[in-house]
Coordinates of all heavy atoms in Angstrom, one line a residue:
R42 N 9.8 0.4 10.5 CA 10.4 0.9 9.3 C 10.7 2.4 9.5 O 11.7 2.9 9.1 CB 9.5 0.6 8.1 CG 10.2 1.0 6.8 CD 9.3 0.7 5.6 NE 8.1 1.5 5.6 CZ 6.8 1.0 5.6 NH1 6.6 -0.3 5.7 NH2 5.8 1.8 5.6
E43 N 9.7 3.1 10.1 CA 9.8 4.6 10.1 C 10.4 5.2 11.3 O 10.9 6.3 11.2 CB 8.3 5.2 10.0 CG 7.6 4.8 8.7 CD 8.3 5.5 7.4 OE1 8.8 6.6 7.6 OE2 8.3 4.8 6.4
L44 N 10.4 4.5 12.4 CA 11.0 5.1 13.6 C 12.5 4.6 13.8 O 12.9 3.6 13.2 CB 10.3 4.6 14.9 CG 8.8 5.0 15.0 CD1 8.2 4.4 16.3 CD2 8.7 6.5 15.0
K45 N 13.2 5.4 14.5 CA 14.6 5.0 14.9 C 14.4 3.7 15.8 O 13.4 3.6 16.4 CB 15.3 6.1 15.7 CG 15.5 7.3 14.9 CD 16.3 8.3 15.7 CE 15.5 8.9 16.8 NZ 16.1 10.0 17.5
P46 N 15.4 2.8 15.8 CA 15.3 1.6 16.5 C 15.0 1.8 18.0 O 14.2 1.1 18.6 CB 16.7 0.9 16.4 CG 17.2 1.5 15.0 CD 16.6 2.9 15.0
S47 N 15.6 2.8 18.6 CA 15.3 3.1 20.1 C 13.9 3.6 20.3 O 13.2 3.2 21.2 CB 16.3 4.1 20.6 OG 16.3 5.3 19.9
S48 N 13.4 4.4 19.4 CA 12.0 4.9 19.5 C 11.0 3.7 19.3 O 10.0 3.7 19.9 CB 11.7 6.0 18.4 OG 12.5 7.1 18.7
F49 N 11.4 2.8 18.3 CA 10.5 1.7 18.1 C 10.4 0.8 19.4 O 9.3 0.4 19.8 CB 11.0 0.9 16.9 CG 10.2 -0.4 16.7 CD1 8.9 -0.3 16.2 CD2 10.7 -1.6 17.1 CE1 8.1 -1.5 16.0 CE2 9.9 -2.8 16.9 CZ 8.7 -2.7 16.4
R50 N 11.6 0.6 20.0 CA 11.6 -0.3 21.2 C 10.8 0.4 22.3 O 10.0 -0.3 23.0 CB 13.0 -0.5 21.7 CG 13.7 -1.6 20.8 CD 15.0 -2.0 21.5 NE 16.0 -0.9 21.6 CZ 16.8 -0.5 20.6 NH1 16.9 -1.2 19.5 NH2 17.7 0.5 20.8
L51 N 10.9 1.7 22.5 CA 10.1 2.4 23.5 C 8.6 2.3 23.2 O 7.8 2.1 24.1 CB 10.4 3.9 23.5 CG 11.7 4.3 24.2 CD1 12.1 5.7 23.9 CD2 11.7 4.0 25.7
W52 N 8.2 2.4 21.9 CA 6.8 2.3 21.5 C 6.3 0.9 21.8 O 5.2 0.8 22.3 CB 6.6 2.7 20.0 CG 5.2 2.5 19.5 CD1 4.2 3.3 19.8 CD2 4.8 1.4 18.7 NE1 3.0 2.8 19.2 CE2 3.4 1.7 18.6 CE3 5.4 0.3 18.2 CZ2 2.6 0.8 17.8 CZ3 4.6 -0.5 17.4 CH2 3.2 -0.3 17.3
R53 N 7.0 -0.1 21.4 CA 6.6 -1.5 21.6 C 6.4 -1.8 23.1 O 5.4 -2.4 23.5 CB 7.6 -2.5 21.0 CG 7.4 -2.6 19.5 CD 6.1 -3.1 19.1 NE 5.8 -4.5 19.3 CZ 4.7 -5.1 19.4 NH1 3.6 -4.4 19.2 NH2 4.6 -6.4 19.7
A54 N 7.3 -1.3 23.9 CA 7.2 -1.5 25.3 C 6.0 -0.8 25.9 O 5.3 -1.4 26.8 CB 8.5 -1.0 26.0
R55 N 5.7 0.3 25.3 CA 4.5 1.1 25.8 C 3.2 0.5 25.4 O 2.2 0.4 26.1 CB 4.6 2.5 25.2 CG 3.5 3.4 25.6 CD 3.7 4.8 25.0 NE 2.7 5.7 25.3 CZ 2.8 6.7 26.1 NH1 4.0 7.0 26.6 NH2 1.8 7.5 26.3
V56 N 3.1 0.0 24.1 CA 1.9 -0.5 23.6 C 1.6 -1.9 24.0 O 0.4 -2.3 24.2 CB 2.0 -0.4 22.0 CG1 0.8 -1.2 21.4 CG2 2.0 1.0 21.6
Q57 N 2.6 -2.7 24.2 CA 2.4 -4.2 24.5 C 1.6 -4.3 25.8 O 2.0 -3.8 26.8 CB 3.7 -4.9 24.6 CG 3.7 -6.3 24.1 CD 5.1 -6.7 23.7 OE1 6.1 -6.1 23.9 NE2 5.1 -7.8 22.9

Side-chain angles (χ1 to χ4, degrees):
R42 186 178 68 238
E43 296 295 327
L44 297 179
K45 295 184 289 187
S47 60
S48 296
F49 175 75
R50 283 191 298 273
L51 285 171
W52 175 75
R53 281 301 285 162
R55 180 184 179 109
V56 170
Q57 214 154 15

